[in-house]
Amino acid sequence: MDSREMGFDALLARILSELPELSSELRKAARFLVDHPDEVALVSMRMLASRSEVTPTTFVRLARRLGFGDWAALRRPFEDRLRSGKAPFAARADALVRRRSEAIFAESLRTTVANLAAAEAVNGSEEIARACAILEKAQRIRVAGFRSCRAPAHALVYLCRMFRREITLLGGDGGAIEAELAALGKKEAVVAIGFSPYSRELGPVVEAAQRHSVPIVAIVDSMAAPIARHAKVVLRFSTDSPSFFPSVAAAMAIVEALAATMLARSGPAAAARVRETELELQAFGAYLPE
């Protein structure tokens, strides 16, 4: 890819792939770019050099090593990222309140439609089939999603339990998640959901899955996400939003579509279990009368 056309996610992936081959000074500068993308877009190169304890010329050399003509060209994807809706929440909230509020509602809906179209475009049938195969083979599925990603994680568990009992939400019972992770077995699978900035709780989940040789299906915003590096299958979603907070609408759509696909692949027996579950819910008075 021409460096002039490179987006932030592609640049991040290139930095991560070349990191082991860089000199110690270039590696220090590269790690600072990866860990502090907002600062790269907002402050001067001299300030970045001071913060990362390298010389300004180190950033120029890093830019050339990565295929960019100069520092300004390397910085551009970071600036585009900030403009595209991945800015810090507080900064985006400040910008939001200065806009005409009557236009935001319609723009939010249009952006959600675009996010859904992007999810369809980037997640091919092969990835979906591989994800389903991993989850079907597992004796138990553990789903990890924290903070705003708790909603799609909970939705996946709720939907799949309609036809499959052996699926649980990590940390869902209010107990220590460490105990749940210690009990992971090789015949299980983990679904991990997250977007940048990634919840720190996902770190121990991924580490435990690796330690127990448990396959991971990652539902994330980028192929460069920390979860994605260790996943057997990666399904991607866009978090673009005119609001102050990233959107999880596409993540929710992916888990709903994944659950529907799993049910369709499971056949008549699974459909019968859905019918039984629905009757049980009605018997327990789970729904308000019509």
Side-chain angles (χ1 to χ4, degrees):
M1 179 187 294
D2 189 326
S3 61
R4 291 171 297 182
E5 301 175 358
M6 187 178 299
F8 176 79
D9 289 343
L11 172 57
L12 185 61
R14 177 177 290 187
I15 294 174
L16 292 173
S17 67
E18 296 199 16
L19 201 61
E21 309 301 324
L22 299 177
S23 67
S24 59
E25 282 295 289
L26 289 180
R27 193 180 307 128
K28 187 186 294 185
R31 283 177 174 164
F32 190 88
L33 298 189
V34 171
D35 293 336
H36 304 88
D38 300 329
E39 292 185 43
V40 177
L42 295 171
V43 304
S44 68
M45 181 172 64
R46 188 172 299 278
M47 179 66 71
L48 293 176
S50 174
R51 291 266 288 110
S52 59
E53 300 180 344
V54 300
T55 64
T57 56
T58 302
F59 284 106
V60 176
R61 290 192 293 117
L62 178 62
R64 291 172 180 163
R65 170 63 187 266
L66 294 172
F68 293 86
D70 54 23
W71 166 251
L74 172 58
R75 185 182 182 182
R76 194 165 299 119
F78 291 87
E79 295 172 335
D80 292 342
R81 166 187 174 274
L82 209 60
R83 283 192 292 267
S84 71
K86 297 181 179 178
F89 304 151
R92 295 182 63 196
D94 289 339
L96 190 67
V97 298
R98 291 194 292 268
R99 294 186 52 191
R100 290 174 54 248
S101 59
E102 58 270 22
I104 294 170
F105 184 87
E107 185 179 346
S108 295
L109 296 180
R110 287 195 299 270
T111 305
T112 296
V113 171
N115 287 346
L116 296 180
E120 181 182 8
V122 301
N123 298 303
S125 57
E126 289 186 7
E127 286 88 354
I128 302 301
R130 288 174 57 214
C132 287
I134 289 172
L135 300 179
E136 289 161 358
K137 184 178 179 181
Q139 290 183 353
R140 181 185 294 273
I141 302 169
R142 312 274 192 151
V143 183
F146 304 96
R147 296 176 177 80
S148 58
C149 285
R150 199 63 166 176
H154 185 275
L156 181 61
V157 172
Y158 184 86
L159 292 170
C160 288
R161 274 188 180 166
M162 297 286 286
F163 59 92
R164 177 171 178 171
R165 306 294 185 188
E166 305 83 14
I167 180 167
T168 59
L169 184 66
L170 281 169
D173 61 358
I177 192 172
E178 293 81 5
E180 296 179 78
L181 295 176
L184 276 177
K186 289 185 178 180
K187 294 183 179 181
E188 300 185 13
V190 167
V191 178
I193 307 172
F195 62 82
S196 179
Y198 304 95
S199 296
R200 61 179 176 80
E201 293 91 343
L202 288 170
V205 172
V206 172
E207 291 170 7
Q210 288 185 283
R211 189 164 57 249
H212 294 281
S213 300
V214 173
I216 299 172
V217 174
I219 302 176
V220 291
D221 61 334
S222 169
M223 291 297 291
I227 322 166
R229 298 173 207 158
H230 308 288
K232 292 291 186 182
V233 180
V234 178
L235 303 179
R236 286 176 288 163
F237 65 93
S238 172
T239 61
D240 287 352
S241 171
S243 180
F244 71 98
F245 201 84
S247 171
V248 295
M252 186 68 78
I254 286 174
V255 301
E256 290 180 357
L258 182 61
T261 306
M262 290 171 63
L263 174 61
R265 288 167 55 105
S266 299
R273 284 194 291 273
V274 172
R275 188 176 300 108
E276 292 170 2
T277 301
E278 188 175 25
L279 290 174
E280 289 175 2
L281 289 171
Q282 291 172 351
F284 282 124
Y287 307 119
L288 287 172
E290 292 291 337

